[in-house]
Amino acid sequence: MDPLQGSLQYLKGVGPRRAADLQRVGLSTIEDLLYRFPTRYEDRGHFQTIASLKPGVAASITGEVLSCGVRPTRRPRFKIFEMLVRDRTGSLRAIWFNQPFLNDVFRAHQRVILFGKLELTSHGLQMQGPQYELVEGVEADEGLEGIEGIDEAERDPSTVHTGRIVPIYEKTGQLTAKMQRTLVHQALQQLPPELPDPLPVDVRRRQHLIERRPALDAVHFPPADASIDELNRFRSTAHRRLIFEEFFLFQLGIVQRRRRADSERKGRAVVVTDEMRENIRKVLPFRLTNDQKTVIREIVTDMKRPQPMNRLLQGEVGCGKTIIALMAALVAMENGLQVAFMAPTEILAEQHFFNIRRLLEESRFRLTLLTGGTPARKRREILAELAGGSLHMVIGTHALVQEDVAFRELGLTIIDEQHRFGVLQRATLRAKGLHPDVLVMTATPIPRTLALTTYGDLDVSTMREMPPGRQPIATTVRPESRRGEIYQFVRQQVEAGRQAYIIYPLVEESAKVDLKAATEMADHLSQDVFPEYRVALLHGRMKQDAKDRVMGAFARNEFQILVSTTVVEVGVDVPNATVMVVEHAERFGLSQLHQLRGRVGRGAHKSHCVLLYQYPITDEGKQRLRALAETTDGFEIAERDLKLRGPGDFFGTRQSGMPTLRVGDLLRDHALMEEARREAVAALDDPSQAPALTSLVNTSWEQRFGLVGIG
Ligand code: ADP
Ligand code: MG
């Protein structure tokens, strides 16, 4: 049996009760314990002489106990354990509060090592509650030199808590840092010198990784010559080896899952004839950019294969993803297949619908809009037509997949602004036994780091090029006290024939209050500030047709200023709008702000984004706004967002398919993840290795990485 799978209960010092405590914090096996790494390391290995100690600094000293004992205080039940230690250069007092058991630990003439912070008190310099260690096997009468002179080679190897580079663990439940340190030490002593290693030998060699057993030793109890700095950055050779191990196992599973899916699922293979090509070209309103051409080629190549496509199309706001979706849809429809096009909001679904309907006016394909706002009778008709196959394309919100919509032959599902949905929609489709081609589109680029993990089984297409004639958007950050200037600027722009958005955030918990604020603001703007222009208000609680009327009128420049809650966030396309003012910008996330900014800069005119913030604003909030002003590159913004918020928040929920990692960190260690991916693919391609590796990915794999039922 794998010695790492042994129960912690059989560890010295752990009985059934302690074992139950440990189990409660998720630690059952030796492996669980050893793969719970120190969060940091402290160098307690370099002893200072007592004479050289300074207040306010932490130090390690070693010396002989002169005297020790519990000292009563005036406060009942409050006891101080006091010790006097001496080295060659002087003596020092150490005290511990309420730890009378120390009476049984220490006695005079012992050699001890203490580590702690020095404080200057009325008794002189003293150490309060230091970490301690007894130096065993050195009798007092061997002379003090025997201890002070301890150098790296001679140091008693059995010291655990001091006198070395010491691992610091995060406390969890009943398990303190010190307890874990003791347990880990025990466990390592009981382990056999050789451990089974999941990493194939040549992977290890190629990656210059040390063996598993020494890595486990060193990650917990680093050798004396280890660099404390490397350790604390998780960059020691031991860290590298063990993090790589975790990533490699993870990627083995991801890559296998992808391959299995490819072989099991039967999709439809499309064909593309010259006639179809001609039909599709007729629909195009402009010349495609080079990136658009590349991407559509990638998509069609996928669609021609019998395995279902599973592709993520990421591209900056405004780079022209909609037309790509339409072209893919046309390929499917020309092949007699139906298309479902899903958007995160009704407004966006409608906009796609109106745009696409206009482009398809001359074609023989029939499409419809299906949202929560569709009346019941109309809805029933639509469902019947979809099931019968006389409707070729349905555009709607995600309700499309969640509800009982049946198709005659669904060939392609397009999901716009994917991260709002998560990966679950794909799972829902599959659960229904549908294996259409899936095209996921997002303007919030998935940082490369994450693309390798959550989206490890997605192919990724990227568009960086903007349609011709675009100018970069100028972004400024201002306190709201300077709103007057901003209005002046809006006026200039409108004067020049342009249009402006003014955005008010709706915070879920206080939506009512915020809505009132937005409404009042719209009134104020139209009556007091811009009486000469038309100001419209758009918000999420408006009836569908009212929203449509407002958006339509704004697109036709019947209104110059649109005050809106964030419903305008994604996808809305009014090229004449050149100003985006965001109120309470500190309340928005980076990606959201980037999306909002993307509503302007869509035409030939120079565009501007103004972020107004109010106090109080957190440091993180400030950083966010600064980041946004500094860059317009959506990829960089996504990476920064990820760094500011962490991967969990980036996608909102754990449901989104982020793996639970034990030792690695997606951000810190992303380069290793890429290596691991490469090695996993290569190893699985090698028939001499694949079988052994396949068996490493069993049912516990999904549980281990928290990915049950996703993807
Ligand atoms: P997004 O990628 O944000 O969804 P859209 O598809 O809404 O972007 O496109 C943004 C704007 O750019 C639209 O007005 C669209 O018609 C226009 N557009 C897209 N591709 C091109 C192109 N190749 N040439 C000119 N305009 C284009
Ligand atoms: Mg779009």
Side-chain angles (χ1 to χ4, degrees), residues 317-318 320-322 348 351-352 416-417 441 443 570-572 599 602:
V317 216
K321 294 182 293 294
T322 316
L348 191 54
Q351 186 183 295
H352 283 319
D416 196 15
E417 300 305 341
M441 305 198 295
V570 253
V572 171
R599 296 310 102 216
R602 301 172 80 85

Side-chain angles (χ1 to χ4, degrees), residues 611-642:
L611 305 174
L612 288 178
Y613 61 87
Q614 297 197 12
Y615 294 97
I617 178 170
T618 60
D619 277 348
E620 199 212 300
K622 274 187 206 145
Q623 274 186 52
R624 254 197 326 258
L625 299 187
R626 201 173 309 131
L628 205 78
E630 278 166 12
T631 173
T632 53
D633 179 344
F635 287 85
E636 202 184 317
I637 286 174
E639 294 281 355
R640 289 211 201 182
D641 203 12
L642 187 61

Side-chain angles (χ1 to χ4, degrees), residues 286-289 292 317-322 467 470 573 602:
F286 34 61
R287 290 178 57 124
L288 296 180
T289 64
Q292 283 173 324
V317 216
C319 71
K321 294 182 293 294
T322 316
R470 296 283 171 79
D573 189 31
R602 301 172 80 85

